[in-house]
Amino acid sequence: MQITKLAIAAIAVLSVAACDKNKGLDDGPMDGVNGANGANAGMVGNSDNISSSSLDPSSIAYFKETIGDRVLFAVDQVQLSPEGAATLDKQAGWLIANPNVTILIEGHADEQGTREYNLALGARRASSVSNYLASKGVPDSRLKTITYGKERPLEVCSTEVCYAKNRRAVTVVAGGLGS
Amino acid sequence: MTNFLKSLAIASVIAAQPYWVCAQEEGALRITIEEGIIEPMPIAVPTFVVGNGAGEYAQKVTDVIIQDLVGTGLFRAIPQDAHISTVTDFSAPVEYANWKAINADALVTGNATNADGKLTLQFRLHDVTGQRNIGEGMQFVAGSDSWRRMAHKVADVIYARLTGEEGYFDSRVVYIAEEGAKNDRKKRLAVMDYDGANIRYLTDSNSIVLAPRFSPNAREIVYTSYETGQPTVFTMNVDTLARRALDQTPGMTFAPRFSPDGTKVVMSLADRGNTDIYMMDIQSGQKTRLTDSAAIETAPSFSPDGSQLVFESDRGGGQQIYIMDVNGSGVRKVSNGNGRYGTPVWSPRGDMIAFTKMVNGRFHIGVMRTDGSNEKLLTASFLDEGPTWSPNGRVVMFFRETPGESGAPSLHSVDITGRNLKKIPTPTFGSDPAWSNLLN
């Protein structure tokens, strides 16, 4: 259900952004578009019957797009980069603010390694993220990890441009949201 | 015919299993497999004489025997249309002069009969120059649907008599059949004859499956599946397809391999990011931890006597190959060249280790002695990975993946001499091959 709501929310935002103020929108804001804290961004709407907002800060879409759901790693490395740590700081804050969700951290590797080593490397990367989030106060019980090794590449070219994006740990909001 | 049959060892019929008797006699004709050999032995294999009811089998059987022998790179089949002698009576004396005239060193004559669903293959191997038999005549009897295996067994005997080493044709390969786009790859377990024939799929593509390996008797496999939601080692009976998670406690397990006696499985378990090697007794489910460093330890493989394990670890900083005693003690580093080393597999003869080497952005399949000496790289490509030994330790099969958006893996084999690199035909992409022992 949550996914459906988010899809509608995303469309609504786009519609508003593209909307000429004179056309107006009769419908009020859709569920989930306006944050409970009323954090309207005021991007476009300046007409009385048009409201707009950023994504619901407690939504998965907000987590993925605004917080950032992934960190990248150097070749054969599991250490977090400063950028990665900054992303995880935001993730930790979000997870603490949204105590009902559990997450699954996926560890991935690029194709430049053997299959079983890459499974182990992916487990290490996922654990690196999990440990960091735990150190920032996210309860261990909410953190699960899985390794995919090189089994699930996002990018398919065989150059560093793609490898850099495939060497990743992705924090997947796994459940409990809105429950 | 009657006299010849009396001289054949008596073969009885046992269920669907081919039965054979091997009466070895050292022949003068012998091909010695060394790195220097580049000239294959010329061999003539005229079509088996068609006996009662065997019309559809004689040619097929002969073709498989020829493909097996020629496929080793050690033999050259003299084309049948160049034969000046036709074998029409299996019991008639061989006219050696006619085979000498076409420069055959070895000759195989055979006879096929088929009655009541039972196929009988009889054959003799001849030393053309010596004008004598090499070993006694033999016969195989089995259900006619086993004709391909019977042909492989004939070829195995011929190979053994001419090389002095066991053959590898009556064997199977379990592997991962892959389909679909590179970023949406579907994987299935598949089993086939060593040469790509008789493919059977063992799983659907709903879950990622990885790295299957045969039990010693080739009736069971261990592999890694994501069907539980995380990588988990499973065992499966290849015939019934019954499967179960090997370790009932939660945790990510992968890289399984059977012990030589089939009673244990050694595998990796990742716990809080640290991957170590564990031994599991299949019957009792008892699990013993063999490594405990903070490094990655994975890809374990038993020595054929079961006393040691070769594995990979990055405890020294990079991925390298180590050996330890089967209780986890006595760890020593084996690989010593530049680059990274992974996927070590102990040879069936016990004297060598096959591995994947990564250096300067290229992948290689290589072999070395168990003390790390005599390293020899057999292949080089964008990505070669995961060697598996032929039952006689003469050939390694592996997979080769091509680069880029359309990149995909396929199965290849190469002799440990580095010669005879060839692709194994499969209907879809293929990866993670594992070769069985010779079948019984």
Side-chain angles (χ1 to χ4, degrees):
Chain A
M1 270 335 283
Q2 188 58 39
I3 290 168
T4 309
K5 266 166 69 177
L6 283 167
I8 293 166
I11 291 163
V13 170
L14 288 172
S15 302
V16 171
C19 188
D20 183 303
K21 65 178 181 179
N22 294 322
K23 287 184 179 173
L25 278 181
D26 294 332
D27 293 342
M30 303 189 73
D31 285 353
V33 172
N34 276 331
N37 58 2
N40 285 359
M43 284 153 44
V44 179
N46 54 7
S47 170
D48 287 345
N49 60 348
I50 298 178
S51 73
S52 67
S53 74
S54 56
L55 292 167
D56 177 352
S58 68
S59 71
I60 294 175
Y62 182 88
F63 180 81
K64 286 171 77 168
E65 294 160 22
T66 307
I67 299 284
D69 69 344
R70 67 199 53 202
V71 298
L72 304 179
F73 295 90
V75 175
D76 209 25
Q77 293 302 308
V78 297
Q79 282 76 34
L80 296 166
S81 66
E83 297 84 352
T87 299
L88 295 184
D89 286 340
K90 288 190 286 180
Q91 285 189 7
W94 187 88
L95 288 165
I96 290 165
N98 293 275
N100 291 330
V101 305
T102 59
I103 63 166
L104 179 64
I105 303 158
E106 301 176 349
H108 298 269
D110 68 32
E111 67 186 351
Q112 287 284 292
T114 49
R115 192 178 313 289
E116 290 168 345
Y117 183 84
N118 276 351
L119 286 174
L121 182 60
R124 250 188 197 168
R125 286 176 173 158
S127 186
S128 179
V129 167
S130 179
N131 290 343
Y132 189 90
L133 292 175
S135 77
K136 296 297 173 181
V138 181
D140 216 30
S141 58
R142 295 171 59 198
L143 302 170
K144 286 194 166 58
T145 60
I146 187 173
T147 177
Y148 282 100
K150 60 176 175 177
E151 301 308 309
R152 285 288 179 262
L154 274 184
E155 305 290 335
V156 293
C157 74
S158 292
T159 63
E160 178 56 23
V161 174
C162 289
Y163 296 160
K165 293 177 183 167
N166 288 335
R167 291 189 301 265
R168 67 199 191 277
V170 182
T171 304
V172 179
V173 177
L177 193 70
S179 66
Chain B
M1 193 70 179
T2 310
N3 284 340
F4 178 78
L5 278 182
K6 279 180 183 166
S7 74
L8 278 175
I10 307 290
S12 61
V13 179
I14 303 174
Q17 293 288 343
Y19 176 86
W20 75 101
V21 176
C22 189
Q24 281 288 7
E25 176 191 333
E26 289 295 309
L29 184 62
R30 173 65 61 87
I31 187 166
T32 306
I33 308 170
E34 289 173 352
E35 294 193 20
I37 288 184
I38 44 174
E39 191 58 45
M41 176 191 283
I43 187 168
V45 189
T47 302
F48 275 34
V49 176
V50 180
N52 288 341
E56 67 174 302
Y57 295 107
Q59 188 65 50
K60 291 196 294 190
V61 162
T62 310
D63 290 344
V64 168
I65 294 168
I66 292 171
Q67 285 159 21
D68 283 345
L69 294 172
V70 171
T72 65
L74 301 174
F75 302 95
R76 176 172 62 82
I78 297 171
Q80 290 184 341
D81 59 12
H83 296 182
I84 56 177
S85 184
T86 307
V87 179
T88 54
D89 181 352
F90 180 55
S91 60
V94 167
E95 304 201 32
Y96 285 108
N98 288 341
W99 301 102
K100 185 70 187 166
I102 60 169
N103 296 316
D105 283 353
L107 166 70
V108 177
T109 55
N111 189 65
T113 54
N114 187 32
D116 302 327
K118 294 289 179 196
L119 180 65
T120 301
L121 299 183
Q122 303 169 323
F123 72 100
R124 302 175 87 168
L125 176 62
H126 308 265
D127 172 354
V128 172
T129 304
Q131 302 201 0
R132 49 175 289 192
N133 293 342
I134 304 172
E136 293 186 356
M138 273 181 71
Q139 71 177 20
F140 294 97
V141 181
S144 53
D145 57 354
S146 294
W147 67 271
R148 240 177 153 280
R149 284 197 57 197
M150 297 168 72
H152 287 320
K153 284 198 176 292
V154 172
D156 276 327
V157 172
I158 294 167
Y159 178 99
R161 289 183 181 177
L162 292 177
T163 67
E165 300 183 358
E166 201 172 43
Y168 56 86
F169 310 122
D170 186 26
S171 61
R172 292 200 175 110
V173 169
V174 61
Y175 74 103
I176 301 296
E178 300 193 18
E179 290 176 271
K182 188 172 176 178
N183 57 358
D184 188 27
R185 202 46 70 69
K186 303 290 189 242
K187 296 191 168 195
R188 284 185 290 170
L189 276 175
V191 65
M192 63 185 187
D193 294 356
Y194 93 102
D195 56 2
N198 289 329
I199 285 191
R200 197 157 58 90
Y201 297 98
L202 307 180
T203 60
D204 61 28
S205 58
N206 288 335
S207 306
I208 300 173
V209 283
L210 304 172
R213 277 113 195 198
F214 273 117
S215 68
N217 66 10
R219 295 203 173 98
E220 300 271 332
I221 54 172
V222 282
Y223 63 103
T224 301
S225 170
Y226 278 67
E227 71 178 81
T228 62
Q230 62 180 355
T232 306
V233 169
F234 275 73
T235 62
M236 176 188 279
N237 181 295
V238 178
D239 298 318
T240 67
L241 304 187
R243 67 185 192 279
R244 66 179 179 90
L246 187 64
D247 186 1
Q248 297 303 319
T249 56
M252 289 189 277
T253 51
F254 53 94
R257 210 178 275 275
F258 279 100
S259 62
D261 65 3
T263 64
K264 297 181 178 66
V265 169
V266 65
M267 64 186 182
S268 283
L269 189 156
D271 180 25
R272 281 161 288 182
N274 181 27
T275 298
D276 277 304
I277 293 172
Y278 289 73
M279 182 98 70
M280 183 126 196
D281 185 273
I282 298 173
Q283 191 101 50
S284 70
Q286 188 181 347
K287 193 165 58 179
T288 310
R289 184 172 185 164
L290 299 183
T291 65
D292 62 359
S293 86
I296 288 173
E297 269 91 27
T298 189
S301 167
F302 278 91
S303 61
D305 67 2
S307 70
Q308 298 177 87
L309 289 162
V310 64
F311 64 101
E312 62 178 63
S313 171
D314 63 0
R315 61 179 65 189
Q319 191 182 1
Q320 296 288 333
I321 293 173
Y322 295 77
I323 289 177
M324 62 183 168
D325 295 337
V326 77
N327 62 5
S329 68
V331 178
R332 57 209 183 268
K333 186 163 174 280
V334 172
S335 55
N336 52 31
N338 294 328
R340 299 165 55 175
Y341 294 77
T343 76
V345 192
W346 215 303
S347 80
R349 301 176 183 208
D351 59 341
M352 296 182 104
I353 291 163
F355 55 84
T356 304
K357 178 169 180 169
M358 295 147 275
V359 63
N360 298 328
R362 301 273 283 174
F363 279 64
H364 307 267
I365 301 299
V367 292
M368 60 189 176
R369 304 196 71 78
T370 55
D371 62 2
S373 66
N374 288 39
E375 176 178 314
K376 182 184 176 74
L377 300 183
L378 309 177
T379 73
S381 90
F382 165 71
L383 204 169
D384 286 348
E385 183 180 338
T388 180
W389 290 92
S390 65
N392 68 353
R394 268 290 158 198
V395 181
V396 291
M397 196 178 290
F398 61 99
F399 72 94
R400 169 168 289 181
E401 194 146 349
T402 52
E405 188 175 353
S406 60
S410 54
L411 306 185
H412 290 70
S413 66
V414 64
D415 285 15
I416 58 171
T417 58
R419 294 199 322 271
N420 204 28
L421 174 67
K422 58 182 183 179
K423 188 171 175 174
I424 311 300
T426 53
T428 66
F429 308 139
S431 64
D432 294 0
W435 213 320
S436 76
N437 288 334
L438 275 180
L439 304 176
N440 290 318

